[in-house]
Amino acid sequence: MSRHYILIALIGLIVGWSGSMLWRNIALLSLPVKVQPYKVSLGEVVEGEIASFTVQIVNGTDHPLKLVRVNPSSCGCLVEHRKLPEAIPPHSKVPVVLGLKAENLPDRFREHLTFILTDSSGATFNPTVVLTGKVVRELVVNPAYLDFGTVVLGG
């Protein structure tokens, strides 16, 4: 009898989780201003190097938008590869090329970048992209070599 309750509870968890993911994706599709893709996997990045990526800012409104700034959630490691667009025309997509410098990041990172955009009426939009990846650290050995002198084999 108790196995049935466990099975019903498990099915309820799965249905509830998948339902919430469905509503989240529907909500993302209906936003007037968004970043595509909203998740970017940078894969493995060597520490100290810059991982480049491109996202598109989608303006689904009837007004041009001004890109005020881009805020990283914690690292301060954002690099602009090209000048950020000053205006995003109505009903358009504008590519933005950025980079993330793999310094002061944990081995596995999840960084959020929030784009701050405003229109002429003062309305503010804050679409976000999530960056994930793994920092590969170089192994430094000091000294670079060891001198064992003369080694006698078998002796």
Side-chain angles (χ1 to χ4, degrees):
M1 186 78 165
S2 65
R3 288 183 185 167
H4 290 46
Y5 290 119
I6 293 172
L7 182 61
I8 290 171
L10 186 59
I11 291 172
L13 284 173
I14 292 170
V15 169
W17 177 81
S18 63
S20 67
M21 293 301 290
L22 174 68
W23 286 115
R24 180 172 173 244
N25 288 334
I26 289 172
L28 282 173
L29 290 174
S30 65
L31 291 174
V33 178
K34 55 191 162 197
V35 178
Q36 289 179 336
Y38 69 94
K39 286 184 182 178
V40 176
S41 175
L42 299 174
E44 291 186 346
V45 184
V46 176
E47 184 177 30
E49 291 189 4
I50 297 173
S52 298
F53 61 95
T54 302
V55 294
Q56 292 197 17
I57 298 176
V58 179
N59 180 2
T61 70
D62 294 328
H63 306 285
L65 297 176
K66 178 183 177 186
L67 179 58
V68 178
R69 68 182 174 276
V70 181
N71 289 341
S73 59
S74 62
C75 72
C77 49
L78 186 64
V79 177
E80 295 176 19
H81 281 300
R82 294 187 195 147
K83 189 174 182 326
L84 292 175
E86 292 180 14
I88 294 104
H91 303 288
S92 66
K93 294 181 181 182
V94 175
V96 178
V97 181
L98 297 168
L100 189 75
K101 188 165 186 177
E103 240 175 39
N104 303 321
L105 289 172
D107 291 343
R108 293 194 181 276
F109 64 88
R110 181 179 180 92
E111 185 70 23
H112 297 256
L113 298 179
T114 303
F115 293 81
I116 311 298
L117 300 123
T118 60
D119 68 8
S120 58
S121 70
T124 302
F125 302 92
N126 302 317
T128 301
V129 62
V130 178
L131 307 173
T132 58
K134 179 181 177 185
V135 177
V136 178
R137 314 237 185 247
E138 292 186 32
L139 181 63
V140 178
V141 179
N142 194 5
Y145 67 92
L146 295 173
D147 182 4
F148 290 106
T150 305
V151 178
V152 180
L153 296 175

